[in-house]
Each structure stands twice: as C-alpha cells, then as structure tokens.
Amino acid sequence: MENDKMVNKLAFLPVMLTFFTMGFVDLVGAASNHVQADLGLTESQTYFIPSLVFFWFLIFSVPTSTLMNRIGRKNTVLVSLGVTLLSLLLPLCGNSYYLMLVAFSLLGIGNAIMQTSLNPLVTNLISGDKLAATLTFGQFVKAIASFMAPIIMTWGAVAAIPSFGLDWRIIFVVYGIIGVLATIFLYLTRIEEKPIEGKVSGFADCFKLLGRPFVLLCFLGIMCHVGIDVGTNTTAPKLLMERLGWTLHQAAFATSLYFIFRTIGCFSGSFILRYVSSKTFFAISALMIVAAMALMSFGQTQLMLYTGIALVGFGNSNIFSIVFAEALKAEPMKQNEVSGLMIMGLFGGTIFPLFMGYASQTFGTIGAVCVMTVGAIYLAFYTLKIKK
C-alpha cells in the first residue's frame, strides 16, 4: 500500500507537466496575429486559423473514449503528446499559410485527444474529495503555459531571447522541448489504471442527449465559453492596435493579460466555490464578461481596454467547470455520454472565430466583439437555469 502511494506521488509530477502541454493549444490566438503580419492575411483568413484548431474537438472527442478503452488512458495521453510534438515541429520547416493550417490542425487533434484522456487518467492517482481540487490545479498549470506563450513569441520577435532566425516561431522550439520532457517522464512513470466500467459512448448516444433541454443549454454554454476564450485571444491585441495605434509587439501583452487573470480565476475559483454556490458564482462571472464586452466595445483608453480584457479573463475562468458539473448532475446515469458531448462543445472555438472573422472584416474589430457579446448574454441567461 505504501509503495502504491509513493508511485502515485511520483506520477503526479509528469501528469501535471502534461497539463502544462495541454495549454499549448492556447498559443493559436497570438500566433494567428503573427501569421497575419508575416503573410498579409485578411481578417477572415486570420480567424480561420483558431477555428480550424477547435474543429477537431467535434471529430475526435468521442472516438478517443474508444481508444482509451482499447489501449488505456496513459497510452492515449502519450498518443496525444506525440501528435502535439509533430504539430510543434512543422512550423520550424517554414511559415507558409497552408503549412501553418496543417500544424495547427495537428495541434487541435492532439489537444482534443489530450483533453478527453488526461482528466480520466488523474482519477487513477487521486480520488474522493481531492479529485476536484487536483483537476482545478491542473487547469491552473495549463493556464501558465497559456499566458507564457504570447510573451515568448514577443521576446523572439524583438530578439530579446536568441531566436536562431525563427523570430516569433521560437515558441515552437521552447514548447517542443517541454513536450519531449513531458512525453519521456510520463512514459517512464508507472500508473496502475482502474478497469473502465460501463459502455463506451458513441455518437448516437451523445447526440440523443441534445433532446434533453437542460443538456442542450449546457452544450451551448460550453460553446459560448470556448468561443469567448478563443475570440479574446485573437481580438484583444487587435483592439489595442486599432484604438491606440500600437504595433503588434506592443499589443501582444493583451493576450498574456487575459491568461494571467484567467490563471488567477482558476486558482481562486477552487477556494471561492467552497463558500459560494455555483449559481451565485456563475452569475457574478457572467456579469463580469458582459461588463468586459461593454468596455471592449466602447473603451478608448489603455486602462479601459485592459480592464475589459482582465474582467473577461477572470469571469471566463470557471465557466467550463461549472457548466460541466451541472450537466453531469442533470444526467447522473449517462455521465459517459454527457462527458463526450460536453467535450464536443469545445467545437464552439470553431464557430465563434468564423463569425468573428466575417464581422471584423465588415465592421472592424468591434464587429468581432459584438459576436462575443452574444455569447456573454447567453451565459447570463444560462444562470437562470442553474438550480440552487
């Protein structure tokens, strides 16, 4: 028994390092702006990049459940790390538009597999009351990778760190090295996996649940959360460039600011939710996002825009976990199907940027903010459906 506990403690570190690699997907927002500057892309072409990344959640979330059943959770996570490493390697070979589309597609596929398999893997290490706190801490570690990415890109672009001629693409070298270490450490770590119980979810099982009104509301809530998340990553620097006349390098910190406050929100949310009901905390979070959209729509100063970006970062940090938990509570006998469906909801990261790209091209950056505002209003409406 003591040996098993020691193995679990040793396994905790490589698993948390893998959570860090889960955050690699969030570099796509800042990277798309750099690709636009390098290649002179239109707004719709730029927003298509993050849309493509999150499209793969629709395709790979449920099949990953089948893969876990066949090869185990740890091996499935290792597959996701392998796909992620390949995605980080391709941009080092060039920066053409189509090469970037392939690279970011692989990044999305790897992340879809990882998001579906890594959380269940944690249940083999931690159980009971500590599970939720451990998963929340994993999201905190993931958020660190998210806010570091724009900073590293900017340092590479202005030669504040050795970039070896790669400019902002040095991020793929840095994160590639971390990804290799995470893969090696996880591969060498022994994790005893519990047998998977119950039947594996299929597409038909998942989509049937959309006929349940509250499950459909939860699914749409997840889509809005991810749409706002991805949209803010891409739009925040554009707002500063458009309103304040900043260069991309000056405005790149906006994405980091969003993730800094999202990191703070992830860390503090696990404590706040011990004393405040989910309904109350969700209402406060949704109102923060609505207020943020107003500031981002009409703010003309650095303080107003930074405040809006910080508010949406903190407000959006715990939306996913609350909606996910509400969906599971609503269908306790079909948690496998609900879990697969909610991960499919990350497809919102495809839908929102597509509409935002066209709106931005037609009306300017405020058009993109208006699309996100629709999602924010929906989250405020969803609050009314959460049971006390």
Side-chain angles (χ1 to χ4, degrees):
M1 184 65 70
E2 286 297 324
N3 289 337
D4 289 341
K5 289 182 178 179
M6 182 59 67
V7 168
N8 284 354
K9 289 180 180 179
L10 292 175
F12 184 78
L13 293 177
V15 167
M16 285 300 119
L17 185 58
T18 307
F19 266 103
F20 187 90
T21 66
M22 188 190 288
F24 292 178
V25 73
D26 290 322
L27 66 82
V28 65
S32 60
N33 288 322
H34 285 285
V35 174
Q36 181 184 32
D38 288 349
L39 304 179
L41 305 179
T42 65
E43 290 294 312
S44 58
Q45 287 176 313
T46 303
Y47 278 98
F48 179 70
I49 295 174
S51 294
L52 185 62
V53 170
F54 287 90
F55 167 77
W56 301 107
F57 283 88
L58 179 67
I59 306 299
F60 281 89
S61 56
V62 171
T64 298
S65 299
T66 304
L67 184 63
M68 281 192 291
N69 200 31
R70 289 186 176 182
I71 67 173
R73 294 165 181 173
K74 175 186 166 182
N75 287 334
T76 305
V77 174
L78 289 171
V79 169
S80 73
L81 285 167
V83 177
T84 299
L85 288 174
L86 179 58
S87 74
L88 298 174
L89 178 64
L90 289 181
L92 303 181
C93 303
N95 65 341
S96 70
Y97 183 59
Y98 292 106
L99 180 65
M100 287 297 180
L101 290 183
V102 173
F104 286 127
S105 290
L106 289 172
L107 183 62
I109 292 170
N111 203 261
I113 299 171
M114 191 181 299
Q115 293 243 29
T116 309
S117 58
L118 185 56
N119 287 334
L121 182 64
V122 175
T123 63
N124 296 119
L125 307 177
I126 306 291
S127 60
D129 296 337
K130 295 182 180 180
L131 178 59
T134 304
L135 293 177
T136 301
F137 185 76
Q139 291 299 311
F140 166 69
V141 174
K142 172 182 178 288
I144 294 174
S146 301
F147 81 73
M148 280 179 58
I151 297 174
I152 296 173
M153 288 185 210
T154 302
W155 285 348
V158 301
I161 59 174
S163 61
F164 306 102
L166 292 171
D167 197 68
W168 65 272
R169 287 180 294 143
I170 192 65
I171 183 67
F172 297 107
V173 175
V174 176
Y175 277 5
I177 293 172
I178 297 173
V180 169
L181 292 174
T183 304
I184 294 173
F185 290 160
L186 184 62
Y187 176 78
L188 295 175
T189 302
R190 183 168 68 90
I191 299 177
E192 294 293 333
E193 298 191 30
K194 303 170 186 174
I196 298 173
E197 299 178 359
K199 73 184 183 84
V200 178
S201 305
F203 279 102
D205 297 314
C206 289
F207 284 112
K208 281 180 183 177
L209 284 172
L210 289 177
R212 313 281 177 88
F214 186 71
V215 174
L216 176 61
L217 291 175
C218 293
F219 180 79
L220 295 175
I222 295 290
M223 292 187 69
C224 290
H225 154 72
V226 180
I228 292 169
D229 181 62
V230 178
T232 303
N233 296 345
T234 308
T235 304
K238 293 180 182 296
L239 284 172
L240 297 175
M241 294 163 65
E242 183 180 285
R243 307 271 175 86
L244 306 179
W246 287 7
T247 65
L248 176 58
H249 299 328
Q250 290 174 310
F253 177 71
T255 304
S256 292
L257 179 67
Y258 169 79
F259 281 114
I260 287 171
F261 275 87
R262 189 176 167 197
T263 303
I264 294 171
C266 287
F267 186 72
S268 61
S270 60
F271 298 101
I272 295 173
L273 285 168
R274 294 180 182 179
Y275 305 101
V276 178
S277 71
S278 295
K279 186 181 180 76
T280 300
F281 190 49
F282 192 95
I284 294 171
S285 299
L287 290 176
M288 279 186 178
I289 299 174
V290 172
M293 293 303 141
L295 288 170
M296 292 167 68
S297 295
F298 305 109
Q300 298 294 328
T301 66
Q302 179 181 344
L303 177 61
M304 292 179 70
L305 292 173
Y306 270 14
T307 302
I309 294 166
L311 278 175
V312 72
F314 189 93
N316 207 30
S317 59
N318 294 283
I319 295 294
F320 177 85
S321 58
I322 294 176
V323 174
F324 197 93
E326 290 297 317
L328 291 179
K329 287 191 291 184
E331 297 290 340
M333 302 304 295
K334 292 190 176 287
Q335 292 194 346
N336 284 345
E337 290 83 354
V338 169
S339 297
L341 193 60
M342 293 303 111
I343 295 298
M344 280 186 187
L346 298 177
F347 178 65
T350 293
I351 300 298
F352 271 72
L354 283 177
F355 283 108
M356 291 170 68
Y358 289 116
S360 180
Q361 198 160 313
T362 305
F363 303 105
T365 308
I366 192 171
V369 177
C370 288
V371 174
M372 290 193 292
T373 302
V374 173
I377 292 172
Y378 176 82
L379 292 177
F381 161 77
Y382 176 85
T383 306
L384 303 175
K385 303 299 179 179
I386 299 177
K387 295 180 181 180
K388 291 185 179 180

